[in-house]
Amino acid sequence: MATATVLSRLSLIPNLSSKPKSFSNKRTTVSVRAQASFSDPFVLELAESLEDSLSSSSLPLQRIRDSSAESLLSTPWPSRRDEPFRFTDTSFIRYSQIEPVSTQQRNSEILDNLTETHFPNAVIIDGFVSNLTIGPSDLPDGVYFGSFSGLPDDLTNRVSEFIGDFDSGDLFWSINGMGAPDLTVIYVPAGCKVDNSIHLRYFSGQTGDRESKRLPVSNPRVFVLVEEGGEVGIVEEFVGRDEHGFYWTNPVLEVVVLKNAKVKHSYLQKESTAAAHIKWTFVRQEAESEYELVEVSTGGRLGRHNVHVQQLGPDTLTELTTFHMCVNEQTLDLHSRIVLDHPRGSSRQLHKCIVAHSSGQAVFDGNVRVNKYAQQTDAGQLTRSLLLKPRATVNIKPNLQIIADDVKCSHGAAISDLEEDQLFYFQARGIDLETARRALISSFGSEVIEKFPNREIRDQARNHVKSLL
């Protein structure tokens, strides 16, 4: 049943049909139905449940769903045998009873207890925009922030040029593509500087049960387009209301930064310690543009962030600064990829993590690729990790692939416990060992936290990390 349903959706895509149809070249003949038979039955069953949970959608969102359905045909559920998931175990999701959240429901418990923010903001519950707060002077003329369905006709055509035009990600990217109930759009016109950051607050309204293994999944999707010379700050905050809430958040953010535009992206992940959080961030940068990510992640039994950035023009700047902190039996994973294809590109990446639980694990897989025509590139990558408990684990894989021959590139990695001479320095001044350790651990993450451009987010991240310590 699952195969038939997904194939029927594929019949709407050009060059694909639910009837057996062969595509030939000199060497091979491939049947779409045969291809489906090689797919993971669990994935196909999940695809059907996602499809059944959704109503009709706008044409761009339908295009995303169709291309995602196509990729699911040949994508099995990832295992530890797959290199991208070698250190990341997703089996607890695989063996849960996954239930897509299908309807938008007003959750007064969340909406009535929101902390006040001075930013224009949206509250996204289970992938649906449930509350949108924009003051009369919050956003300049021409800036749009809201659902795709509310776009004016001229902006609909402009935004639609880019939607669905990104390279495909992994299985979880495709699950979001099939399951996203709506598309939240942020549009900044040419030459416009947005002084107030736009704040997206994500919640899971439905939680499951670990005993029955019922796992609700939501698929929020956001698209950002910043025209030439525009500037905007975006804050994404993922919040777990219940410390032991059992759910799966599977969000996607797509960002297009056109010539000479700037985006500052703040990302704060505080999901439940029993939840799964698997996020994709795709960024396309044109000439002379800037994209800056600052991330603090502490939540989730499994928390994974896939960041893919592609520089599509010269004199482009990319900066990724991230801090992961494991204080429970959890895995926090950053997989990043920066592709430089043009001259005088620059990228800076700093990843820091703390593992403070004997069953905790951090993963870093950072790939920077400097292609043939990316001459005079300046790329640097550094990862530093603190292991504070016996059997705490970190797996790191910094990776520079350099094809150009006129570049300045570097990478480095360090893994350690707190340094004895630093602890001795504190104790020599009358500070007890436990206080000294807390101070050093807190300062380790502050290098990243202080880079948040908004004081409100800095204070929130700092207080959150202190509470975990």
Side-chain angles (χ1 to χ4, degrees):
M1 179 63 181
T3 303
T5 306
V6 175
L7 285 173
S8 67
R9 174 180 286 278
L10 289 174
S11 67
L12 302 175
I13 307 174
N15 299 324
L16 289 173
S17 171
S18 59
K19 298 178 180 180
K21 182 175 180 180
S22 296
F23 301 88
S24 301
N25 57 29
K26 292 182 180 180
R27 293 188 177 183
T28 61
T29 301
V30 180
S31 165
V32 171
R33 186 176 293 278
Q35 189 178 24
S37 69
F38 295 136
S39 296
D40 186 335
F42 172 77
V43 172
L44 292 175
E45 183 179 348
L46 175 58
E48 178 169 290
S49 67
L50 290 167
E51 185 176 52
D52 292 344
S53 70
L54 298 172
S55 57
S56 59
S57 62
S58 58
L59 183 59
L61 195 53
Q62 187 65 47
R63 192 163 63 237
I64 294 172
R65 290 178 183 173
D66 290 340
S67 63
S68 298
E70 179 183 355
S71 67
L72 282 174
L73 275 176
S74 56
T75 308
W77 189 270
S79 73
R80 301 287 289 272
R81 293 188 296 271
D82 302 310
E83 183 61 29
F85 291 87
R86 180 181 173 190
F87 302 111
T88 307
D89 186 2
T90 63
S91 61
F92 94 90
I93 302 176
R94 166 67 177 82
Y95 294 106
S96 295
Q97 182 184 337
I98 300 173
E99 295 182 358
V101 178
S102 58
T103 57
Q104 180 176 7
Q105 298 178 353
R106 175 179 171 79
N107 193 308
S108 57
E109 182 182 352
I110 293 176
L111 296 176
D112 294 345
N113 292 282
L114 290 173
T115 56
E116 185 178 354
T117 176
H118 299 93
F119 306 133
N121 68 93
V123 177
I124 301 175
I125 302 177
D126 295 327
F128 297 90
V129 177
S130 298
N131 190 62
L132 189 65
T133 305
I134 305 175
S137 59
D138 281 345
L139 298 176
D141 292 341
V143 175
Y144 179 83
F145 174 35
S147 173
F148 179 87
S149 60
L151 279 168
D153 290 341
D154 56 334
L155 291 187
T156 298
N157 295 333
R158 177 59 173 162
V159 170
S160 297
E161 293 177 22
F162 299 91
I163 292 177
D165 195 30
F166 285 74
D167 293 336
S168 296
D170 62 6
L171 172 77
F172 300 101
W173 163 273
S174 299
I175 289 173
N176 177 281
M178 282 205 69
D182 196 4
L183 182 65
T184 303
V185 174
I186 298 172
Y187 174 82
V188 179
C192 178
K193 181 178 180 180
V194 183
D195 293 326
N196 294 318
S197 296
I198 295 175
H199 196 170
L200 301 164
R201 291 189 279 184
Y202 301 83
F203 296 85
S204 290
Q206 298 189 28
T207 58
D209 181 4
R210 294 186 70 172
E211 291 186 4
S212 66
K213 296 187 177 181
R214 186 177 69 85
L215 183 69
V217 57
S218 61
N219 294 281
R221 196 176 187 104
V222 177
F223 176 81
V224 180
L225 173 58
V226 185
E227 299 278 12
E228 182 175 347
E231 297 183 24
V232 68
I234 298 165
V235 178
E236 289 191 293
E237 181 185 0
F238 291 84
V239 183
R241 295 182 299 125
D242 178 0
E243 182 181 353
H244 303 292
F246 190 61
Y247 58 87
W248 172 18
T249 308
N250 188 50
V252 165
L253 172 70
E254 297 170 308
V255 184
V256 178
V257 193
L258 297 187
K259 184 177 180 180
N260 201 34
K262 298 179 181 180
V263 172
K264 292 189 175 183
H265 178 198
S266 303
Y267 167 49
L268 186 56
Q269 192 269 97
K270 305 181 296 182
E271 300 277 21
S272 154
T273 55
H277 178 92
I278 302 177
K279 174 176 166 59
W280 270 91
T281 299
F282 258 102
V283 183
R284 291 171 52 181
Q285 295 182 249
E286 294 198 357
E288 302 173 41
S289 66
E290 297 181 14
Y291 171 76
E292 177 184 340
L293 167 68
V294 182
E295 170 188 347
V296 172
S297 291
T298 63
R301 176 177 171 182
L302 168 60
R304 178 174 170 122
H305 190 191
N306 302 284
V307 185
H308 281 211
V309 182
Q310 186 165 13
Q311 294 189 357
L312 301 176
D315 303 297
T316 304
L317 172 64
T318 303
E319 187 170 347
L320 309 181
T321 310
T322 53
F323 172 52
H324 289 185
M325 185 170 178
C326 301
V327 295
N328 292 285
E329 184 179 349
Q330 61 186 147
T331 296
L332 292 179
D333 179 353
L334 176 68
H335 269 62
S336 65
R337 179 175 173 83
I338 304 173
V339 181
L340 300 94
D341 279 312
H342 297 269
R344 299 178 301 280
S346 178
S347 73
R348 290 285 179 271
Q349 182 172 21
L350 170 64
H351 176 66
K352 306 185 81 172
C353 69
I354 295 175
V355 185
H357 192 281
S358 58
S359 298
Q361 178 187 219
V363 180
F364 171 69
D365 189 319
N367 185 286
V368 179
R369 182 176 177 86
V370 183
N371 286 327
K372 181 178 180 180
Y373 298 107
Q375 302 295 342
Q376 298 179 333
T377 285
D378 184 356
Q381 182 187 75
L382 175 64
T383 174
R384 295 181 60 200
S385 305
L386 283 181
L387 301 181
L388 302 181
K389 294 288 185 180
R391 297 189 302 279
T393 304
V394 61
N395 294 285
I396 60 172
K397 185 182 174 183
N399 188 0
L400 276 173
Q401 297 175 293
I402 304 171
I403 301 175
D405 54 14
D406 180 13
V407 300
K408 183 171 72 172
C409 297
S410 65
H411 68 164
I415 303 172
S416 67
D417 196 346
L418 295 175
E419 296 183 14
E420 292 297 331
D421 57 345
Q422 293 177 330
L423 293 171
F424 177 78
Y425 178 88
F426 277 86
Q427 290 177 293
R429 283 152 182 80
I431 299 172
D432 66 87
L433 180 61
E434 189 60 32
T435 300
R437 288 181 66 86
R438 282 200 301 268
L440 289 172
I441 293 168
S442 180
S443 64
F444 183 83
S446 65
E447 181 180 3
V448 175
I449 293 172
E450 292 304 316
K451 291 184 72 67
F452 279 120
N454 304 104
R455 186 179 66 180
E456 182 177 323
I457 301 302
R458 282 198 303 272
D459 292 344
Q460 186 182 152
R462 189 183 300 113
N463 293 336
H464 175 64
V465 169
K466 285 183 178 178
S467 71
L468 295 177
L469 293 175

